[in-house]
Amino acid sequence: MPERLFVCTPSKLGAFADCARRYRYSYVDRPTPPKGPPWAHNSLGASVHTALKNWYGVPADSREPGVLPRLLKATWVREGYRDVDQERVTYRAALRWLETYVNGLDPVDEPLGVERVVATKTAVLAFNGRADRIDSRRGADGPEAVIVDYKTGRSGLDADDARGSQALALYAYAAQRVFRRPSYRVELHHLPTGTVVAHEHTEDSLARQVRRAEDTARDIMAAEKAVAAGADPDAEFPANPGALCSWCDFRKACPVGREAPAKDPWTAVDHLTPTS
């Protein structure tokens, strides 16, 4: 029998790369261990992403900053904030980011896809992922597909973040096959600062990222097979203790994670609230 393909998304591969134990809790253990409370920064990111998606859903002649309060209110996720005051401050910050960002967009420009799922297969992977935006731009040899990913985190970004992102590379690899056009340029758009960082991939660099993803998939499948055959799950899916443990949804379920200091659900957005 041929080896089955490993069905994956960027987040699934990333979970294992960050911490095999977190991957096990998310995708292997059933029932899934209980998660901690929702994070405010995830609520913020989801709200902004959906508002931008819906901005492209209105008619082109209505794509102006004035529609953003309505769009953001309609998509606003309220979970994770310390209190109503912090939520309001965060909402106003998100609205400022969106207004500044859309002022730099051409309202009549129609992307190839918004929140678009792209999928492809390799000898090892059955990959699918949802790209925030895929732009159609004119390249040296004709139309190209450009991968755009929105970021709302506190930290700034640089070109290495775009170059090293496996998710963006896999989106570009899949987009080439879905849209039948070159896709090498990937961009991270950091809304809080208005920063755009980009990387131009090559066929070789995309192939390297695909091979890296396939290696991760093989490691996951080997660990899953070993556990199914009776191996110790903790040994096959070891924890990777570090700073990420404080932010892990499964910190309380993980003996190693519990050693890390806990973060409040609103910690990552606390800097948006002015101090008196």
Side-chain angles (χ1 to χ4, degrees):
M1 292 290 292
E3 190 74 20
R4 65 180 176 86
L5 297 180
F6 182 73
V7 179
C8 65
T9 62
S11 59
K12 193 173 183 180
L13 293 169
F16 187 84
D18 287 341
C19 176
R21 183 71 52 82
R22 179 160 73 92
Y23 176 92
R24 179 188 130 202
Y25 288 153
S26 298
Y27 299 103
V28 179
D29 286 1
R30 293 295 180 269
T32 303
K35 293 184 177 181
W39 298 98
H41 60 275
N42 287 344
S43 296
L44 169 61
S47 302
V48 169
H49 278 69
T50 310
L52 280 172
K53 173 190 175 183
N54 291 343
W55 189 80
Y56 279 105
V58 301
D61 58 4
S62 298
R63 291 178 194 159
E64 55 186 25
V67 304
L68 288 169
R70 173 176 61 83
L71 296 179
L72 186 59
K73 284 179 183 177
T75 67
W76 189 252
V77 182
R78 307 192 64 179
E79 297 178 317
Y81 295 100
R82 180 181 58 235
D83 50 35
V84 173
D85 288 340
Q86 185 187 55
E87 183 186 345
R88 287 173 177 164
V89 168
T90 306
Y91 172 87
R92 288 195 292 268
L95 185 57
R96 289 195 303 272
W97 302 344
L98 287 167
E99 289 171 342
T100 301
Y101 184 71
V102 302
N103 268 327
L105 299 176
D106 184 347
V108 301
D109 189 20
E110 296 291 348
L112 283 172
V114 177
E115 294 286 336
R116 171 62 189 264
V117 172
V118 290
T120 191
K121 294 180 179 179
T122 74
V124 178
L125 305 174
F127 168 82
N128 73 88
R130 188 184 300 273
D132 289 343
R133 198 173 86 218
I134 304 175
D135 285 352
S136 177
R137 301 189 197 165
R138 176 65 57 177
D141 299 317
E144 297 181 355
V146 176
I147 307 300
V148 174
D149 193 62
Y150 307 130
K151 294 297 182 185
T152 57
R154 181 176 185 177
S155 300
L157 303 169
D158 59 34
D160 285 343
D161 294 302
R163 178 185 59 83
S165 171
Q166 183 182 77
L168 294 183
L170 291 175
Y171 288 143
Y173 180 82
Q176 285 191 355
R177 285 142 184 83
V178 171
F179 295 107
R180 307 293 183 184
R181 63 172 68 184
S183 182
Y184 300 112
R185 184 176 177 86
V186 298
E187 297 179 351
L188 294 170
H189 292 201
H190 188 240
L191 272 66
T193 62
T195 303
V196 174
V197 296
H199 179 69
E200 291 282 349
H201 277 289
T202 65
E203 286 293 337
D204 286 343
S205 66
L206 291 179
R208 284 194 298 272
Q209 289 283 16
V210 170
R211 288 195 297 270
R212 178 180 153 214
E214 289 177 333
D215 288 343
T216 299
R218 291 186 183 98
D219 289 343
I220 294 171
M221 290 189 288
E224 290 178 342
K225 284 181 179 179
V227 170
D232 180 6
D234 286 349
E236 297 299 325
F237 292 93
N240 180 27
L244 291 179
C245 290
S246 295
W247 301 98
C248 182
D249 287 333
F250 300 105
R251 190 187 71 84
K252 290 185 178 180
C254 177
V256 176
R258 285 198 296 269
E259 299 298 320
K263 298 286 188 182
D264 290 320
W266 56 83
T267 298
V269 302
D270 215 17
H271 67 285
L272 298 172
T273 304
T275 56
S276 55

